[in-house]
Amino acid sequence: MVEVEKLKSVLRKTKSVGHSRYENSAEHSWHVSLMALLLKDHADDEIDINRVIKMLLIHDLGEIEAGDTIIYASETTEIKQQEGQGIRKLFALLPAKMEDEFNSLWLEFEAGETNDAKFAKAIDRVPPLLHNIHGEGHSWKLHNISKEKVFSLNKARIQGASHTLWEEVETELNKAVEAGALS
């Protein structure tokens, strides 16, 4: 319980809506968990919301060791290995049964193949998009992220779990392009 407190000091690459400071990973985990609960009825396939929330609460714990990396650069083998090492170190502190359960959920999220993991990964993409859409594209501009990259990565993740959610996000992204926040 003390070790996971460290997630509060891992700063992400986006600023929360209405704030000038960067969000931390613990805030992100809370936000995506609540979003999943609110948006569960928009999943294209049947999901177990309890499993989805568990995945979302633990999915970024590897960042305690590895730090946060912007999604458009974070899918490297090296970063995933660092996160995996952090997860194994952290979960080794748990009783064996819980360690196995959490490892299994983390690996399932990372693979993104089950309905639960697809939905969790889709929901995980929404807050950073909202932060940029409502923050004049601050992170996209700072990291020189193109609209093509934003649309392709997020469409694949979000539409794969919820066509309804993707339609809403796509509308907002197009507004961001029109407003000059994304180019």
Side-chain angles (χ1 to χ4, degrees):
M1 305 239 349
V2 172
E3 194 65 21
V4 296
E5 283 278 320
K6 294 177 181 176
L7 196 61
K8 294 177 182 177
S9 65
V10 176
L11 294 182
R12 295 179 54 83
K13 305 298 184 230
T14 58
K15 298 174 184 177
S16 297
V17 175
H19 293 94
S20 60
R21 68 170 177 81
Y22 287 91
E23 175 186 50
N24 69 55
S25 286
E27 291 170 317
H28 169 73
S29 294
W30 164 80
H31 194 203
V32 294
S33 296
L34 183 58
M35 288 181 69
L37 188 59
L38 294 171
L39 297 172
K40 66 180 174 36
D41 294 333
H42 297 285
D44 288 347
D45 299 304
E46 186 174 330
I47 59 165
D48 179 340
I49 192 60
N50 291 322
R51 292 184 81 254
V52 170
I53 290 172
K54 285 179 182 181
M55 283 181 203
L56 290 169
L57 286 171
I58 66 172
H59 81 284
D60 279 334
L61 290 173
E63 292 180 5
I64 292 171
E65 291 284 323
D68 181 61
T69 307
I70 193 164
I71 187 71
Y72 306 101
S74 70
E75 299 296 308
T76 68
T77 303
E78 180 183 349
I79 291 170
K80 290 300 176 186
Q81 286 176 342
Q82 288 175 342
E83 289 178 358
Q85 289 170 353
I87 285 292
R88 287 186 294 282
K89 180 180 171 185
L90 181 64
F91 292 168
L93 300 171
L94 298 170
K97 185 176 178 182
M98 192 175 287
E99 177 185 8
D100 291 344
E101 177 191 5
F102 283 17
N103 271 319
S104 177
L105 287 166
W106 187 79
L107 290 168
E108 182 179 341
F109 177 88
E110 287 298 309
E113 295 173 356
T114 66
N115 291 344
D116 293 343
K118 287 177 186 176
F119 189 71
K121 287 178 92 65
I123 295 296
D124 186 45
R125 292 304 315 131
V126 177
L129 296 173
L130 293 176
H131 297 163
N132 274 290
I133 290 166
H134 294 280
E136 300 175 356
H138 66 276
S139 181
W140 295 328
K141 291 175 181 176
L142 179 65
H143 299 283
N144 198 29
I145 307 299
S146 69
K147 72 178 180 184
E148 291 79 18
K149 213 176 231 189
V150 170
F151 275 84
S152 66
L153 184 140
N154 291 292
K155 180 179 183 177
R157 289 260 173 105
I158 297 170
Q159 190 177 47
S162 174
H163 283 79
T164 304
L165 182 56
W166 172 246
E167 287 174 13
E168 294 299 320
V169 168
E170 184 178 35
T171 298
E172 295 303 312
L173 287 173
N174 282 321
K175 289 178 187 176
V177 170
E178 291 171 19
L182 179 61
S183 55

